[in-house]
Amino acid sequence: MSASSRATDIDREFFNRELDSFLPDRIFDAHTHLWKQECVSWSIPGVPNVGRDEYTTLIGDLHGPRQTEALFIPFASENKCDKVRLANQWVADSISDSSDSRGLYFITPKDDPEHVREQVEKLGLHGLKCYHSMASVNPTWEASIPDFLPEPFLEVANQESWCITLHMVKTRAVADPDNLHWIRQYCESYPNMKLILAHSARGFQPAHNLDGLEKLKGLDNLFFDTSANCEPIAHQAIMRIIGHDRLMYGSDLPVSHWRGRSLGVADTFLWLYEDTPVWDEKHRLIQPLLIGLEHLQSVKMACWSERLTDSQVEDIFWNNAAGLFGVTS
């Protein structure tokens, strides 16, 4: 089944009013997923498999007709570990005819790093993706980074100059001392490896970024993607503390095509989804937007607050990723 637009009239009105004049002419999406339904436990209704063609259709809901390239990330749910090989092959096949798109290789902590090296080269991929759900600790939301990204993978990534996309966990994310220790340890010990902290350092509660990012200054191989984080200050903290040249836009499809938004509350965060009973407010019935649109507005607000120039906005949406991934067009 082929994909079709998920945008409603309200989504399109919002895009035209808030985003169309803000977005640059070309976009590199530095965090997005392709998947086969048999590999994952989530979906976009009616679209069981998303390859490059389906991605192109769906991302038009967020970008309009702009040129878009991407770093495509495979995924296998924790109860589908036997599908990891299929997930990686799906991404490799999807980028095989594109000189400007890139792809990662999904790993589990039990994988043999040398086998991973061989497979990344064989499949024509460009780095690694790990995920906490593959850790053997309970709950995995409190896993230490080495629990799902063991150090031997860093040795290989350093030798091959790969990037690694990391969705850290723990209650306080980048403000957690254990996370700070391992991020700095890995970056300093393996300087040819490029570490990308997903979701603006998982700053869904932006206070964690304000607390923790100062302790990560001075790491030349540390980068960030914005993926699906709807809190402007999470992005703004990276721009101000680390530098806008380390931040890359990412849509995080499929999350981008669910409805709602992330929201920082107390010392944590929550997600409001389409079926969360909060939208019937006294002053009006709220129609939740695609998360990807809410996220893009948060990036726009952060850029405005930091008084970024047009060329600096272009850095976040294209140049930073193109430089990191060696895209020359």
Side-chain angles (χ1 to χ4, degrees):
M1 182 181 297
S2 61
S4 59
S5 171
R6 290 300 190 266
T8 64
D9 289 343
I10 292 174
D11 293 322
R12 285 185 282 270
E13 178 186 359
F14 182 89
F15 174 84
N16 291 334
R17 184 182 68 247
E18 300 292 339
L19 299 173
D20 196 24
S21 63
F22 164 70
L23 292 175
D25 291 338
R26 57 181 183 171
I27 295 174
F28 196 103
D29 184 351
H31 186 133
T32 191
H33 296 280
L34 302 179
W35 66 91
K36 289 183 73 69
Q37 191 63 72
E38 60 194 285
C39 300
V40 298
S41 56
W42 36 257
S43 68
I44 295 175
V47 191
N49 301 322
V50 171
R52 180 60 190 260
D53 290 345
E54 290 79 11
Y55 167 81
T56 299
T57 298
L58 292 166
I59 209 64
D61 293 336
L62 309 183
H63 301 170
R66 289 166 175 80
Q67 175 190 352
T68 299
E69 302 296 341
L71 175 66
F72 292 113
I73 302 175
F75 197 86
S77 298
E78 61 273 17
N79 60 340
K80 299 177 183 287
C81 290
D82 60 325
K83 302 297 184 181
V84 168
R85 181 177 179 181
L86 177 61
N88 286 323
Q89 186 68 56
W90 181 250
V91 165
D93 291 345
S94 295
I95 67 168
S96 61
D97 61 351
S98 172
S99 61
D100 290 336
S101 289
R102 300 291 184 262
L104 297 185
Y105 184 95
F106 190 89
I107 60 171
T108 75
K110 296 180 180 179
D111 288 342
D112 175 6
E114 288 304 321
H115 176 72
V116 168
R117 188 202 304 265
E118 295 170 2
Q119 289 300 304
V120 171
E121 180 178 359
K122 175 183 176 182
L123 294 173
L125 299 174
H126 306 86
L128 307 178
K129 167 63 177 177
C130 56
Y131 200 62
H132 69 90
S133 62
M134 296 297 176
S136 59
V137 300
N138 187 29
T140 67
W141 287 107
E142 292 298 325
S144 184
I145 291 171
D147 290 332
F148 56 103
L149 180 59
E151 193 158 359
F153 291 106
L154 277 295
E155 297 175 3
V156 173
N158 187 64
Q159 293 163 4
E160 300 292 341
S161 298
W162 289 342
C163 64
I164 301 175
T165 295
L166 171 66
H167 177 155
M168 77 184 89
V169 284
K170 292 186 174 290
T171 301
R172 303 199 75 240
V174 79
D176 183 274
D178 185 68
N179 282 338
L180 287 167
H181 165 77
W182 285 110
I183 292 167
R184 181 165 285 280
Q185 171 78 10
Y186 280 178
C187 286
E188 291 180 341
S189 299
Y190 304 100
N192 294 326
M193 174 274 309
K194 290 84 173 176
L195 187 63
I196 304 169
L197 301 185
H199 312 296
S200 283
R202 195 176 170 260
F204 294 117
Q205 170 47 268
H208 299 160
N209 281 12
L210 298 177
D211 188 5
L213 287 175
E214 287 282 352
K215 302 175 182 67
L216 294 178
K217 294 171 72 172
L219 297 173
D220 293 339
N221 54 342
L222 182 64
F223 298 84
F224 305 81
D225 71 52
T226 64
S227 53
N229 191 320
C230 298
E231 291 286 356
I233 292 179
H235 318 308
Q236 191 176 351
I238 295 168
M239 297 175 192
R240 186 176 299 190
I241 297 170
I242 305 295
H244 88 280
D245 57 337
R246 301 300 181 83
L247 183 62
M248 303 176 290
Y249 162 73
S251 69
D252 202 13
L253 183 77
V255 178
S256 62
H257 278 63
W258 301 335
R259 293 187 179 276
R261 61 161 292 158
S262 64
L263 181 67
V265 293
D267 193 36
T268 184
F269 65 94
L270 54 81
W271 281 93
L272 304 178
Y273 293 113
E274 187 172 12
D275 59 356
T276 308
V278 297
W279 305 107
D280 189 7
E281 280 292 316
K282 294 178 181 178
H283 60 286
R284 65 171 297 176
L285 176 63
I286 301 170
Q287 300 293 333
L289 296 170
L290 294 172
I291 290 172
L293 296 176
E294 291 276 9
H295 164 237
L296 276 168
Q297 187 185 49
S298 76
V299 177
K300 173 187 172 182
M301 290 177 175
C303 292
W304 181 86
S305 297
E306 288 302 294
R307 294 182 169 87
L308 264 57
T309 64
D310 288 349
S311 64
Q312 289 173 321
V313 173
E314 291 169 359
D315 289 342
I316 290 171
F317 280 91
W318 181 274
N319 296 328
N320 295 342
L324 181 61
F325 304 129
V327 176
T328 57
S329 66

